[in-house]
Amino acid sequence: MFVRLLTLIFLCWCFVSSESEVITCSKIVAFPNRADNISITDFGAVGDGVTLNTKAFTEAIYNIQHLPREGGTLLYVPPGVYLTQPFNLTSHLTLYLAAGAVIKATQDSSNWPLIAPLPSYGRGRELPGGRYMSFIHGDGLHDVVITGENGTIDGHGDVWWKMWRQRTLQFTRPNLVEFVNSSDIIISNVIFKNSPFWNIHPVYCSNVVVRFVSILAPRDSPNTDGIDPDSSSNVCIEDSYISTGDDLVAVKSGWDEYGIAYGRPSSDITVRRVSGSSPFAGIAIGSETSGGVENVVAEHINLYNMGIGLHIKTNSGRGGYIRNVTMSHVYIEEARRGIKISGDVGDHPDDRFDPNALPIVKGVTIKNVWGVKVLQAGLIQGVKNSPFTEVCLYDINLHDGVTGPRTPPWKCSDVFGFANLVNPSPCSELITHQPGSCAA
Ligand SMILES: *[C@@H]1O[C@H](CO)[C@@H](O)[C@H](O)[C@H]1NC(C)=O
Ligand SMILES: *[C@@H]1O[C@H](CO)[C@@H](O)[C@H](O)[C@H]1NC(C)=O
Ligand SMILES: *[C@@H]1O[C@H](CO)[C@@H](O)[C@H](O)[C@H]1NC(C)=O
Ligand SMILES: *[C@@H]1O[C@H](CO)[C@@H](O)[C@H](O)[C@H]1NC(C)=O
Ligand SMILES: *[C@@H]1O[C@H](CO)[C@@H](O)[C@H](O)[C@H]1NC(C)=O
């Protein structure tokens, strides 16, 4: 009863504080109004769920690329189910899905095109060698919008999950949507469904906005991360619902020796008003952070039925850094663990990684977290010769809902920082140290 009352007060307070000043991503990229509007049906597309429309999409994009109109072009997808193989986007394009429009990946994965591995990963994330191109792919683009009236992009993922389970995959599975080396990207008012692998993957990008999206995949679908900003800057994610089989949002920046050599960080990443559910983490950083991750803000996050609420993860061999991260106003209902910051998570691309490439984790503030039915409060496990520093916890209440406000205590090692108003009380490493650079 007491917990319920406090939850109610907390929710009301969230509501009021977000009502008073609604901050949005809209300043990052201006929404372009296109001068020209062409329909995918002009290129012979048939939305009957049977006809293969690859030629229509490829020709429409070719047309837009080679007959550029002042102010760019809107490619309209009317209601219907448009089956297609993967295709590339082009610059100055708005891909517009009407209400009831579905762009659906073909079930035939046998002639899915392969592309080169990302240089910051050195190989495919799952398997050595190249990787299957994403269903909707953009490389070296500028000024692209994917939007509409909440139409659906459906990755037909079951075909790929089955190959993963049967261990018959030859290369790394495709993402649903990927932008590589692109800028000024907006993804809004679209439903993403059944991605073969990660859902939305901006890599080596800047100025990316994702808002008003729903991302849905079964809880047991393998590696279906929601949104993974990767070696990208100025990424803003807001007002979205994500329920998948892996981390809802995971900020990354390359893998071990390849990521260190490529040296491209993720910076200035904002995540706000995102809710959802997953057997893994709600807001994650890592574990691939070899190019560095800095200036991350995640706020007003509501998580239900989770593996871990907030998870910052790296490993020896990763190198890189994670610094200046603030996560606040987080509500967690049902989770195995509330908060985890760990230095021993994730595998290596090959045995050429340098075990002495130790990551630096410095300046992580987590505050205003309310959790109910959280089985274990927190685990902070630094790297032995590279302890985590300036880890600051304020105003965190995690309840197990069984014995009242008394979940098992925090566990910590190799960490320095400060904690105030944290319940259950955190480990002595955080209590006995002075605030230092943790602002009180
Ligand atoms: C684009 O044209 C289609 C007809 O082909 C029309 O139904 C639609 O409303 C137009 N969309 C916009 C955003 O102008
Ligand atoms: C799409 O673009 C990629 C990268 O720019 C290129 O390698 C590939 O050939 C293109 N694929 C198709 C199907 O157009
Ligand atoms: C990135 O894209 C730009 C075009 O926008 C191109 O000039 C540049 O070569 C690309 N860089 C890489 C590394 O592919
Ligand atoms: C689309 O979904 C968003 C929530 O993601 C909602 O706010 C918006 O009103 C919907 N738009 C339409 C046109 O249905
Ligand atoms: C930390 O990150 C915040 C939010 O991105 C930014 O406003 C601030 O300037 C950063 N601080 C430093 C010291 O870089």
Side-chain angles (χ1 to χ4, degrees):
M1 182 60 210
F2 179 61
V3 171
R4 283 221 186 125
L5 187 66
L6 283 180
T7 308
L8 196 69
I9 292 168
F10 177 81
L11 289 174
C12 292
W13 163 71
C14 275
F15 186 66
V16 169
S17 58
S18 61
E19 274 282 291
S20 54
E21 188 196 358
V22 178
I23 309 164
T24 74
C25 301
S26 48
K27 285 205 186 88
I28 305 231
V29 191
F31 197 92
N33 287 314
R34 303 303 185 190
D36 199 22
N37 172 3
I38 59 178
S39 173
I40 192 67
T41 53
D42 300 342
F43 297 85
V46 182
D48 60 1
V50 183
T51 307
L52 197 59
N53 294 294
T54 316
K55 200 160 165 280
F57 279 101
T58 311
E59 277 178 9
I61 302 286
Y62 183 93
N63 181 291
I64 294 165
Q65 185 179 358
H66 291 92
L67 295 171
R69 286 85 163 167
E70 190 76 33
T73 302
L74 182 145
L75 178 59
Y76 182 79
V77 182
V81 178
Y82 299 85
L83 210 60
T84 173
Q85 291 176 311
F87 61 93
N88 283 320
L89 301 174
T90 188
S91 294
H92 310 295
L93 164 73
T94 295
L95 179 63
Y96 190 98
L97 288 86
V102 181
I103 304 178
K104 186 168 184 174
T106 162
Q107 203 167 351
D108 177 14
S109 60
S110 62
N111 52 0
W112 200 284
L114 274 174
I115 56 172
L118 292 165
S120 57
Y121 283 74
R123 45 163 276 189
R125 184 61 186 84
E126 298 191 274
L127 288 161
R131 55 199 192 109
Y132 294 111
M133 81 178 271
S134 2
F135 177 46
I136 297 185
H137 195 87
D139 194 336
L141 306 187
H142 173 73
D143 177 26
V144 181
V145 181
I146 302 177
T147 191
E149 300 150 8
N150 297 338
T152 300
I153 295 176
D154 182 339
H156 224 138
D158 51 347
V159 182
W160 298 92
W161 308 330
K162 193 171 158 200
M163 284 193 279
W164 180 84
R165 290 184 183 115
Q166 296 177 340
R167 298 175 181 274
T168 53
L169 273 171
Q170 292 200 314
F171 297 98
T172 298
R173 284 171 284 160
N175 303 296
L176 193 51
V177 174
E178 182 175 75
F179 284 97
V180 185
N181 181 33
S182 299
S183 63
D184 297 281
I185 307 297
I186 300 176
I187 300 174
S188 65
N189 297 91
V190 175
I191 299 167
F192 296 88
K193 214 171 111 180
N194 295 336
S195 175
F197 193 59
W198 301 346
N199 275 271
I200 300 178
H201 186 220
V203 58
Y204 322 139
C205 288
S206 60
N207 300 351
V208 178
V209 170
V210 181
R211 56 198 307 234
F212 299 116
V213 301
S214 299
I215 304 180
L216 310 170
R219 200 172 168 85
D220 67 352
S221 58
N223 311 102
T224 47
D225 290 23
I227 307 172
D228 288 2
D230 195 347
S231 294
S232 291
S233 57
N234 280 318
V235 180
C236 189
I237 299 163
E238 67 184 11
D239 296 306
S240 293
Y241 177 79
I242 310 173
S243 178
T244 65
D246 211 319
D247 298 342
L248 304 183
V249 174
V251 183
K252 300 176 184 286
S253 64
W255 204 11
D256 288 8
E257 70 272 28
Y258 304 103
I260 295 170
Y262 200 69
R264 173 111 190 224
S266 272
S267 64
D268 302 293
I269 312 289
T270 305
V271 186
R272 67 165 84 85
R273 296 185 301 269
V274 165
S275 63
S277 175
S278 158
F280 287 88
I283 305 298
I285 297 180
S287 75
E288 308 90 330
T289 49
S290 303
V293 171
E294 66 182 346
N295 306 349
V296 177
V297 175
E299 58 192 13
H300 301 288
I301 309 296
N302 291 313
L303 304 171
Y304 305 89
N305 197 5
M306 299 299 303
I308 302 172
L310 307 175
H311 195 184
I312 296 175
K313 43 186 171 172
T314 180
N315 206 343
S316 299
R318 292 275 188 272
Y321 55 84
I322 297 171
R323 60 188 183 220
N324 190 20
V325 173
T326 304
M327 298 183 177
S328 70
H329 301 98
V330 179
Y331 175 72
I332 307 170
E333 190 173 297
E334 284 194 53
R336 275 198 329 276
R337 198 185 293 276
I339 295 165
K340 186 172 176 187
I341 310 178
S342 44
D344 65 345
V345 173
D347 52 343
H348 302 286
D350 48 45
D351 52 17
R352 290 191 293 276
F353 74 94
D354 173 7
N356 297 316
L358 302 182
I360 294 163
V361 175
K362 181 180 176 182
V364 173
T365 299
I366 299 178
K367 59 186 181 188
N368 302 99
V369 179
W370 190 271
V372 291
K373 298 189 195 163
V374 175
L375 297 185
Q376 288 174 297
L379 174 70
I380 306 180
Q381 196 165 29
V383 176
K384 203 152 213 76
N385 293 312
S386 181
F388 297 168
T389 58
E390 296 175 32
V391 172
C392 317
L393 309 179
Y394 306 105
D395 229 323
I396 298 179
N397 283 279
L398 300 165
H399 308 263
D400 68 6
V402 181
T403 54
R406 280 219 144 266
T407 56
W410 292 63
K411 285 189 199 154
C412 303
S413 57
D414 300 295
V415 56
F416 298 97
F418 180 68
N420 192 24
L421 300 174
V422 174
N423 193 354
S425 60
C427 38
S428 54
E429 285 86 341
L430 298 179
I431 296 169
T432 55
H433 284 89
Q434 292 303 307
S437 35
C438 292

